[in-house]
Amino acid sequence: MSELRKDVLTGRWVIISPERANRPNAFAEYEIQNDSSEDCPFCPGHEERTPPELLTLKPDPRKKEWGVRVVSNRYPALRIEGEVKSRSEGLFDKMEGIGAHEVVIETPEHDIDQAELSLKQTAGIFMAHAQRMTDLFRDKRFAYILAFKNRGAAAGATISHPHSQLIALPIVPITIERELSGAKKYFDYRGRCFFCDTVEQEREDQKRLVSLNQHFIAYTPFASRFPFEIRISPLKHRSFFWEISREETNSLAEIQRDVLRRYKLALKNPPFSSIIHTTPPNHLHPEHYHWHVEMMPKLTAQGGFEWGSGFYINPMSPEEAARYLRHLDDYMDVPKNYLLPTTGSVNHGY
């Protein structure tokens, strides 16, 4: 039976339609193709093929080898030179394309799967994002920084070497504005953070819970737009991603790797996008908003109805997706005290 579900935060409605999973090719399989390391500008020994380094993290500071490199994007969506000036053209507003566009080269290894990166390496990636955000926000022209990763051509990646990106913007994106507005309305009504209440509810009823550790929870949102969409949220209220501690980066690396391994087992290692949503630095009420990571495997395509209506049609309920991913516990090499509680009503199978 289909359901209409409302996203409390954004006001967006989603159609959950399990019947559509029975269509031919309802879930597409996109092959991950690796390009050659010989021509890869992100591989060690090819450092001269990228713009100068903005940040380098090394496993051993005494050695030359790097672990994570951050460079400017050679083909930036926005450029850092200029002033933020708005002007009108008849009915329309426009401004100069001011911003920054950077690439985080996540590992020296060209063909490694991110699900198999060490926890230390993955934590270093998050630390690099946090450090670059801190530095970029010193430029008062920037109102927001979006950190994101696309893996696989179907998800938008043009180079297979593991990397992610940051784009600094002179305005706050409309998606974030809608979330901030929804969070404010919820706070004004309830007197509490929407995300904190959601985390508490997902921990309690566990229907959409996928994974849990000391600092973070991974769950499928109630109004999921896509099959196996996952949100990773701090358990305690945290407004600004770039204030993440080293201990928290380790926990975030742990839970993200857990999610990626579940994707790999359940979905044949799909292309995916992950995005960090954070409170803008000059937001007047950081107590309203709670940073989080959104993870979305590429399994379905949007068509005319989705583009024309603004609705998403999800052929798998978030409860079913979470149950399926939890079912993989016995196939994963993880500490027993790490994932879900061993007591309570969690169903680890069908």
Side-chain angles (χ1 to χ4, degrees), residues 45-180:
H46 299 168
E47 286 82 2
E48 75 285 350
R49 300 186 189 180
T50 68
E53 295 172 353
L54 300 167
L55 174 69
T56 305
L57 301 182
K58 297 182 177 181
D60 187 341
R62 298 167 297 180
K63 297 182 179 179
K64 182 180 179 180
E65 290 78 11
W66 53 270
V68 180
R69 293 178 72 229
V70 183
V71 300
S72 296
N73 194 307
R74 191 177 289 279
Y75 308 102
L78 299 168
R79 295 189 177 274
I80 203 163
E81 300 86 4
E83 298 180 22
V84 178
K85 291 183 179 180
S86 299
R87 57 184 187 276
S88 298
E89 188 175 294
L91 296 173
F92 311 112
D93 296 329
K94 63 181 182 180
M95 64 173 61
E96 297 296 329
I98 304 302
H101 192 169
E102 300 180 1
V103 178
V104 179
I105 306 170
E106 299 177 336
T107 171
E109 298 181 70
H110 181 81
D111 294 325
I112 192 169
D113 189 331
Q114 186 171 354
E116 304 310 321
L117 285 176
S118 70
L119 293 178
K120 181 178 180 181
Q121 184 73 21
T122 305
I125 295 166
F126 288 121
M127 190 58 68
H129 279 288
Q131 289 185 25
R132 289 307 302 149
M133 282 187 181
T134 299
D135 188 52
L136 285 165
F137 275 134
R138 293 191 178 100
D139 190 325
K140 300 307 178 185
R141 297 175 300 168
F142 299 152
Y144 195 80
I145 298 171
L146 189 72
F148 63 96
K149 176 182 177 67
N150 298 322
R151 179 184 183 272
T158 56
I159 295 177
S160 65
H161 191 118
H163 68 285
S164 46
Q165 301 180 64
L166 299 104
I167 296 184
L169 300 155
I171 56 176
V172 178
I174 187 64
T175 297
I176 304 301
E177 286 281 17
R178 287 173 178 165
E179 289 189 0
L180 291 168

